[in-house]
Amino acid sequence: MQDGLLLVDKDPGGTSHDVVQRVRRLLKQKKVGHCGTLDPDATGLLLLTLGSATRLTRFLIRAPKVYEGTLRLGVTTDTYDATGRVVAEGPTDGLTTEAVAAAMAGFEGTSEQQPPPYSAKKVGGVKYYELARRGEEVPQETKEVTVYDFKPLGELSAPEAGGTRSLRFLLSCSSGTYARSLAHDVGQALGCGAHLAALRRTQIGPFTVGSALSHAALEARLSAGEGPGDAWVPFDQIPLPFGEVTADPQQEQRIHHGQTVLVRELAGEEGDWVKLLNRRRELIAVGTVVERIGAGGVGVVQPKVVFR
């Protein structure tokens, strides 16, 4: 296990960076990164890049994400989740599953989202939550996100302690979307307030949590002399969302030196990323289309990230 992807099922209570540090110690490997942060109390799929695969993190991190979670209606918190201080309460009398579903559907599509005030987003090198904890103003910057699907899983609960009600949900969204902000915004739209009570990431692009291992399970398998099984994706088998080009030996030499190559049967337009493979189906580089020639599939590719 040197170069590739490791699928980890994150436990609650630690940060994504904590998971990376534990895997570094377990595998005795320094080059470990992750493709998308999970809040400390969130669980589920964390995609780790090891060795040379860390150079692919910027491509993998853009993959769409799928979550399952719980919305608690009737209480608003300053962090938009269950860890925060209650700042408002509202009645949930007469609230129906259909009404919440309609509010959720209103956030589907592409829009500008404002990150939670207590988030790891940075401004001038300082994290939002550090500003919030100091009582300083948090920037009101927004980011374009896309929500593909946001809907209930099951029915709204009966009134709970304090009159709050809960609803499990499914969320499919673009990278960088804050589930906490969506939970907060649904509560504002309904007029009763809401926060994110629980969250579990089940999918990142083509990868699912069903193939992932918890840290304890990974440690046990390695101690028993077993491999990580489906939780490990070797470097050359990493699926990138780009077209691919198979280079001949002469082109492979040019790619190795970072030189452009003229290729045929090229999918994509100028500016698109492409995978560059050798005839042994090994990933040798990732490049961009810098020129299309004529109406056919001929073009020029510039290697940008070279591995071999």
Side-chain angles (χ1 to χ4, degrees):
M1 293 173 61
Q2 292 295 323
D3 304 293
L5 303 181
L6 182 64
L7 280 60
V8 174
D9 187 350
K10 177 186 171 297
D11 296 318
T15 66
S16 299
H17 183 67
D18 290 337
V19 176
V20 168
Q21 291 291 78
R22 293 179 71 186
V23 169
R24 280 176 179 158
R25 290 192 294 268
L26 179 63
L27 301 181
K28 297 179 174 59
Q29 185 163 337
K30 291 183 178 180
K31 294 182 68 175
V32 180
H34 69 79
C35 303
T37 301
L38 280 174
D39 286 339
D41 285 344
T43 67
L45 183 59
L46 194 62
L47 188 61
L48 303 188
T49 51
L50 276 66
S52 297
T54 56
R55 299 176 68 195
L56 296 175
T57 300
R58 60 173 167 155
F59 305 116
L60 297 167
I61 203 169
R62 300 174 185 173
K65 314 291 195 298
V66 180
Y67 301 88
E68 292 182 7
T70 301
L71 189 68
R72 180 150 293 133
L73 298 136
V75 173
T76 302
T77 70
D78 58 356
T79 58
Y80 299 177
D81 65 11
T83 67
R85 177 176 58 88
V86 175
V87 295
E89 298 182 23
T92 60
D93 300 338
L95 197 61
T96 65
T97 304
E98 291 72 24
V100 183
M104 288 179 168
F107 293 97
E108 293 179 349
T110 300
S111 63
E112 293 290 325
Q113 185 186 62
Q114 184 173 319
Y118 287 82
S119 70
K121 183 176 174 61
K122 293 182 179 180
V123 56
V126 181
K127 295 176 180 178
Y128 276 21
Y129 67 75
E130 294 174 337
L131 295 174
R133 287 172 181 169
R134 295 201 297 254
E136 299 179 21
E137 184 177 355
V138 176
Q140 301 296 302
E141 297 180 2
T142 61
K143 177 183 178 181
E144 184 178 275
V145 300
T146 301
V147 175
Y148 306 109
D149 198 8
F150 190 26
K151 64 185 179 184
L153 290 175
E155 297 294 321
L156 190 64
S157 74
E160 303 166 7
T164 63
R165 303 180 72 179
S166 297
L167 182 67
R168 294 189 65 247
F169 66 83
L170 173 74
L171 169 64
S172 174
C173 57
S174 63
S175 177
T177 303
Y178 283 93
R180 282 187 288 151
S181 288
L182 286 172
H184 175 83
D185 292 344
V186 166
Q188 296 303 298
L190 292 168
C192 62
H195 66 269
L196 184 66
L199 188 68
R200 179 169 176 76
R201 186 156 65 198
T202 59
Q203 188 169 345
I204 300 175
F207 306 103
T208 63
V209 73
S211 298
L213 292 174
S214 67
H215 185 85
L218 175 63
E219 190 171 26
R221 289 180 69 96
L222 295 180
S223 296
E226 301 174 358
D230 291 341
W232 176 249
V233 182
F235 180 77
D236 293 317
Q237 296 176 25
I238 295 173
L240 295 174
F242 314 138
E244 62 181 49
V245 170
T246 301
D248 61 32
Q250 183 177 2
Q251 290 172 323
E252 185 176 353
Q253 190 66 22
R254 289 183 61 85
I255 291 168
H256 176 73
H257 292 290
Q259 299 172 330
T260 59
V261 289
L262 180 69
V263 299
R264 301 182 184 278
E265 299 180 4
L266 178 65
E269 303 299 326
E270 289 185 13
D272 288 350
W273 290 95
V274 293
K275 294 170 59 177
L276 295 164
L277 311 175
N278 62 23
R279 290 184 173 177
R280 297 179 297 280
R281 302 296 296 170
E282 296 171 333
L283 178 62
I284 56 177
V286 176
T288 56
V289 181
V290 294
E291 183 181 359
R292 290 301 301 260
I293 301 174
V298 179
V300 178
V301 174
Q302 172 68 63
K304 293 291 187 179
V305 185
V306 178
F307 300 103
R308 293 181 170 98

